[in-house]
Amino acid sequence: MKQLDIGVAGAGPAGLAVALFLSRAGHRVEILERFATPAPVGSGLLMQPTGLTVLSALGLFDSIHGLGSRIDRLHGADAVSGRTVLDVRYDAAPGGRYGLAVQRAALFNTLHDAVAADGIRIRTGIELAVSETRGDRAVLKDTQGEMVGDYDLVIDASGARSSLVSGSGSAPTVRNLAYGAFWATLDGQGAAYDKTALSQRYDKAKVMIGLLPAGRVQVHEAERVAFFWSLKVADVEAVKAAGLDRWKAIIRNYWPDCMPFLDQIGDWDQLTLARYAHRTVLPPFSGRLVCVGDSAHSTSPQLGQGANMALLDAAALSHALANHADIASALAAYARARRNHVRLFQLLSLAFTPFYQSDSNAIAWVRDRLVSTIARVPPMPGLLASIVAGTLIDPFGPAGLTECEWRRDYSLLSGMA
Ligand SMILES: Cc1cc2nc3c(=O)[nH]c(=O)nc-3n(C[C@H](O)[C@H](O)[C@H](O)COP(=O)(O)OP(=O)(O)OC[C@H]3O[C@@H](n4cnc5c(N)ncnc54)[C@H](O)[C@@H]3O)c2cc1C
């Protein structure tokens, strides 16, 4: 592949990672971002062995581990009876895998610092509207209709609400989900929580409360914790109108250990409302535009895969461009490389979401009585571990990656052995 001029729309995990891969492969890359100062939105993220392998390929394994909290287990209990209804351990599958919970800001800074160190240009304050293919060029236009860039290839990494494909033959299918969640990043000192687990409490499928140890943004800082409370987006105003104290009382009744976290919340503004949507663009390219990350496929975060899949896309696209002589065949190869993994995990997210966020008491009953029992019978523990790790089918080979050797690589981290 000759050296290409590439415009990357969006400075999220997908955009920053793909820019790093492609700039290192010798292409001229610039990133365009709507924020005046690129900044992460949201709270904690669970990085899986998939995303960690991509970060390792970018030489960022040590830096992300210096900021994250190792997670070995996902544990959920019925808030009323105390019965365990979810217990997935990474080590139920072979390979020594684990998760790493990070604050969004930590992932963003790690990638952004590498982008800055590599001298990749980021043009900020540009709200992009559309990408149009003109012959063998792709132009990007902003919301004023002004042309802001002209490239060999545009990579759409502008997330789940991207409009860039509207100028092409591809149309996304989008389904907004009824349930979202309030999220906050809070101080963990003095609080009782499992430091190696994502812990959740449920009441049927209507209530889900979660605590995720989420590491730090600077190495010297104390660990913080991502707290979340699932609710219907349509109920947000009613919940707020009833008042913060009422909301805290409900959570305290379900899970008293949350009090040290709730005590830190004095205003609704400290909570970010995350809305979820399922979105698919098929195929994830058209002409000289190609989609990576949430702009190609977004799901509810139930399985904690989105950022990891975004990073896998970045690696797979750069691998395809390195191994094909022309852009059209490289984009088709990228789509093929990611197709099965993306489809499988979109399907699994779609299937799992109603078990944790829906109005159905019947589904919650099945989860609490049947699924939790079956989940303990071999080979289910190993299977569930592979689903959570994102490795149920090989995500690495098609993206040109070699999976980390977890035990060895983790033991080589300074201070972690
Ligand atoms: C509450 C919540 C919890 C989650 N938890 C997890 C988890 O535990 N693990 C996990 O792997 N994933 C998780 N996800 C999903 C994950 O956040 C996304 O999949 C991931 O951020 C996708 O990365 P991206 O780079 O494709 O898009 P984004 O992170 O959305 O980044 C898009 C970038 O493009 C910019 N942009 C958008 N529109 C424009 C425009 N018009 N012009 C210019 N720039 C634009 C944005 O400002 C942003 O910088 C979670 C999501 C939510 C909402």
Side-chain angles (χ1 to χ4, degrees):
M1 182 74 69
K2 65 175 175 118
Q3 187 188 46
L4 301 175
D5 286 321
I6 298 176
V8 176
L16 294 168
V18 82
L20 281 169
F21 276 119
L22 292 174
S23 158
R24 289 175 186 181
H27 300 293
R28 282 184 299 270
V29 182
E30 68 174 14
I31 302 173
L32 299 93
E33 165 61 47
R34 68 177 164 189
F35 286 138
T37 312
V41 177
S43 181
L45 279 175
L46 189 48
M47 298 306 300
Q48 306 293 358
T50 47
L52 292 174
T53 295
V54 177
L55 293 174
S56 174
L58 288 169
L60 302 174
F61 189 82
D62 288 17
S63 30
I64 199 69
H65 276 78
L67 300 174
S69 298
R70 178 174 165 139
I71 299 294
D72 291 313
R73 177 185 183 216
L74 276 54
H75 179 261
D78 184 292
V80 181
S81 67
R83 239 164 52 101
T84 292
V85 298
L86 171 85
D87 192 359
V88 181
R89 294 163 193 268
Y90 286 91
D91 69 3
R97 297 186 182 114
Y98 56 86
L100 192 78
V102 297
Q103 291 178 45
R104 265 166 200 277
L107 177 61
F108 174 83
N109 289 349
T110 300
L111 289 162
H112 187 260
D113 288 353
V115 160
D118 283 15
I120 300 168
R121 182 178 181 214
I122 303 189
R123 292 167 60 195
T124 55
I126 299 176
E127 179 94 34
L128 296 165
V130 69
S131 171
E132 292 170 3
T133 298
R134 295 182 184 167
D136 59 2
R137 305 290 292 173
V139 298
L140 272 173
K141 287 184 176 172
D142 67 12
T143 45
Q144 312 300 313
E146 295 292 323
M147 190 173 104
V148 289
D150 178 1
Y151 310 95
D152 294 309
L153 179 66
V154 164
I155 300 175
D156 181 6
S158 63
R161 305 195 194 273
S162 171
S163 62
L164 295 198
V165 287
S166 61
S168 75
S170 294
T173 54
V174 182
R175 189 154 69 85
N176 291 318
L177 301 184
Y179 277 79
F182 279 139
W183 284 76
T185 311
L186 301 163
D187 194 346
Q189 278 172 326
Y193 63 98
D194 186 338
K195 293 194 164 52
T196 62
L198 163 62
S199 305
Q200 298 180 337
R201 294 290 180 274
Y202 321 111
D203 184 6
K204 308 205 173 52
K206 289 191 185 76
V207 171
M208 176 169 65
I209 311 164
L211 292 174
L212 175 68
R216 50 205 67 77
V217 176
Q218 304 288 341
V219 272
H220 57 269
E221 288 173 1
E223 176 177 89
R224 287 167 70 81
V225 177
F227 164 87
F228 57 91
W229 160 265
S230 157
L231 82 171
K232 272 181 153 171
V233 174
D235 292 343
V236 168
E237 289 315 314
V239 170
K240 285 187 175 176
L244 208 49
D245 288 341
R246 163 112 186 87
W247 176 73
K248 288 183 185 181
I250 294 170
I251 297 172
R252 187 182 54 230
N253 283 343
Y254 281 126
W255 198 359
D257 286 351
C258 286
M259 276 325 286
F261 298 108
L262 297 175
D263 286 344
Q264 299 170 45
I265 301 174
D267 194 298
W268 289 114
D269 287 348
Q270 286 171 262
L271 295 161
T272 305
L273 175 67
R275 297 160 199 268
Y276 307 146
H278 284 278
R279 169 192 169 107
T280 310
V281 177
L282 267 180
F285 64 92
S286 175
R288 293 298 176 108
L289 172 71
V290 60
C291 303
V292 291
D294 275 11
S295 81
H297 47 77
S298 79
T299 64
S300 83
Q302 222 57 252
L303 285 177
Q305 301 293 325
N308 296 281
M309 302 225 292
L311 293 173
L312 284 170
D313 289 353
L317 178 57
S318 111
H319 182 62
L321 285 165
N323 286 287
H324 289 82
D326 65 276
I327 292 178
S329 37
L331 299 190
Y334 155 70
R336 276 196 307 277
R338 292 292 298 131
R339 184 175 51 204
N340 291 345
H341 188 258
V342 166
R343 277 195 192 161
L344 178 65
F345 278 89
Q346 277 193 305
L347 202 68
L348 288 169
S349 296
L350 204 62
F352 274 92
T353 297
F355 284 95
Y356 298 95
Q357 291 191 302
S358 75
D359 295 336
S360 170
N361 290 348
I363 293 182
W365 188 90
V366 170
R367 175 196 70 197
D368 294 354
R369 309 284 149 171
L370 293 184
V371 178
S372 64
T373 307
I374 296 168
R376 288 195 284 271
V377 180
M380 284 310 286
L383 211 62
L384 286 170
S386 302
I387 290 176
V388 168
T391 55
L392 190 58
I393 55 172
D394 177 22
F396 302 112
L401 296 161
T402 305
E403 186 176 5
C404 297
E405 286 190 34
W406 299 106
R407 287 196 186 85
R408 185 203 63 189
D409 295 352
Y410 190 79
S411 71
L412 288 175
L413 289 166
S414 55
M416 301 263 178

